[in-house]
């Protein structure tokens, strides 16, 4: 029986290029959502509403993956400064 678990399925570490790509994509997506909201100040047209919902969905997916990874890392080492910094970054 294997009693150890691995987070390799998500990211190989905080220095994993995939981790940084997802964190950067999250920041960009949040910025883009803000611009979409400003551009559609009134009641959104159907196309605008779809773009807003897709953007929110993408943000949620990225947040769940990044936050889940970080919380699992923190659960085994609550004093990991790198993890705490990344949690602050995405929060």
């Amino acid at each position: 029986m294997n009693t150890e678990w691995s987070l390799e399925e998500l990211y190989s570490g905080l220095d994993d290029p995939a981790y940084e790509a997802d964190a950067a994509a999250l920041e960009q997506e949040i910025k883009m959502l803000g611009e979409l909201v400003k551009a559609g100040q009134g009641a959104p047209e159907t196309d605008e509403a779809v773009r807003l919902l897709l953007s929110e969905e993408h943000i949620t997916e990225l947040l769940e993956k990044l936050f889940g990874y970080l919380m699992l890392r923190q659960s085994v080492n609550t004093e990991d400064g790198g993890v705490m910094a990344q949690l602050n970054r995405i929060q």
Side-chain angles (χ1 to χ4, degrees), residues 49-80:
V50 168
R51 282 195 294 273
L52 286 169
L53 290 172
L54 289 174
S55 179
E56 287 180 353
E57 181 179 0
H58 193 226
I59 288 169
T60 300
E61 288 171 354
L62 288 167
L63 272 174
E64 286 178 353
K65 184 177 179 186
L66 290 164
F67 193 70
Y69 174 75
L70 292 169
M71 292 305 294
L72 289 168
R73 288 269 311 254
Q74 188 180 44
S75 72
V76 296
N77 182 359
T78 59
E79 296 180 15
D80 187 331

